Amino acid sequence: MSDGFKQYILMHKDVQVASVTLDQVTGSITAVGELYAPAHLPVGISVRKGAVDRAALNEWWTGRAIPASRAGLRHVLEELQIAAPQKLLEKCLGLSLSDQYWIAPSDGVLRWEDVNFFTNPFSGDVGEILFGGNTAGRQVDLMSPDNTSDGWLRKKWVIQNGKRCLVKGGSGAIQQEPYNEVIAGRIMERLGIPHVTYVLQMQQGLPYSVCEDFVAPNTEFVPAWYLLHTAAKPNHISLYQHYLDRCDALGIKGAERALAQQIVLDYLIVNEDRHQGNFGVLRNADTLEFLGPAPIFDSGSSLWFETPTPQIRADAKVACKPFKTTHEDQLRLVSDFGWLEPDSLSGLSGIVREVCAASDFVGGARVQAIAKAVEIRAQRLKEIVLSRPRTVDDAEKDVREDIAYSGGQHKGTAPER
């Protein structure tokens, strides 16, 4: 190791992918050396004339870090006396519970089976600090998937009954996001949409959503952001069509129906943060075969979660992502509603009321306003399903820049679930 730099091998499970040099101050990749297995590079990272695109690889690497907007992050960095969240990546070897990538010291002593978080225990110290705890002068174990968790809400990974589970909190006085996750899951169950299931847990008087990891030891999540960057988008092709084209080129089946289901859900719950990092596909990490669309997850920033109660209306204007700037325009992308039974759209307001029935945070007039607005949107969608002809997509009303909710950082490979 030279002053200020350290050599590592970028690994994909036990496959050596490339040698990399990390800056010990910033935690960024300053150089990429020998390329051993180009096929195992992260999806969307290009190779030209035998050389890896270092800037793209570094963006992928630093995108694994906790975003600067994360609630409680400043407290963590102060407690650990670490200058930047990117430095936490090196402390846990870049290991994640979303994919099978990591960095190994160049001496080659460590093996995947000994360090991965899917089959080995991990520290909860960073998660506890993120939740407001302190180190009290003790030695902190930084081998934790919390170092590579994405998103702006407070969260931590735990092992419950042998399952890797993500515990995620809410924001502000209303703390509505955990309830929204459960409501969204119940709606998707009603509509027959593949999804990650969330349950509510109360901890120290606050609500949290809890879900099992949908990534297994031999699979990995590939965000849409990286699929879109496997080829340049022609100017005359819309972002939506470009995504479908890339899925088709990569042999990913079922992408159009999965997007239709996602768009329908996001219309119903008025999701404000379906960016290119919290939807995508699953891949077999051993064979590199794409398995199909990932189940829908991370739907908490919805249901007018930041809107004052008197302003909650079915037609209230809210932000929309990832393809169009309004949910109505995005809904027009759906050409096939054959998977959706119109009668399943009836009574969605009851789901809202049931989930929030015992809530000390989301109750009374707010629940009634949300339930009424959801019911109106469901009725409008039912009318569309029964009557609307197919439309043609174009690029005119595309989202021009995919800025995630968490402080303008493009989402990396560790999604906020």
Side-chain angles (χ1 to χ4, degrees), residues 215-261:
V215 176
N218 65 335
T219 67
E220 56 195 2
F221 173 69
V222 181
W225 169 260
Y226 293 101
L227 288 176
L228 287 164
H229 283 75
T230 56
K233 185 182 84 65
N235 290 334
H236 68 286
I237 297 295
S238 71
L239 188 64
Y240 172 80
Q241 189 58 51
H242 181 54
Y243 182 78
L244 291 180
D245 289 346
R246 296 319 305 153
C247 287
D248 184 60
L250 295 167
I252 301 167
K253 307 298 183 183
E256 186 168 8
R257 171 164 290 192
L259 285 187
Q261 293 173 331

Side-chain angles (χ1 to χ4, degrees), residues 334-366:
V334 179
S335 60
D336 179 16
F337 289 103
W339 54 272
L340 179 59
E341 172 55 52
D343 288 344
S344 66
L345 293 167
S346 300
L348 298 188
S349 60
I351 293 176
V352 175
R353 295 188 178 96
E354 288 171 15
V355 172
C356 299
S359 173
D360 292 331
F361 295 88
V362 188
R366 186 171 187 84

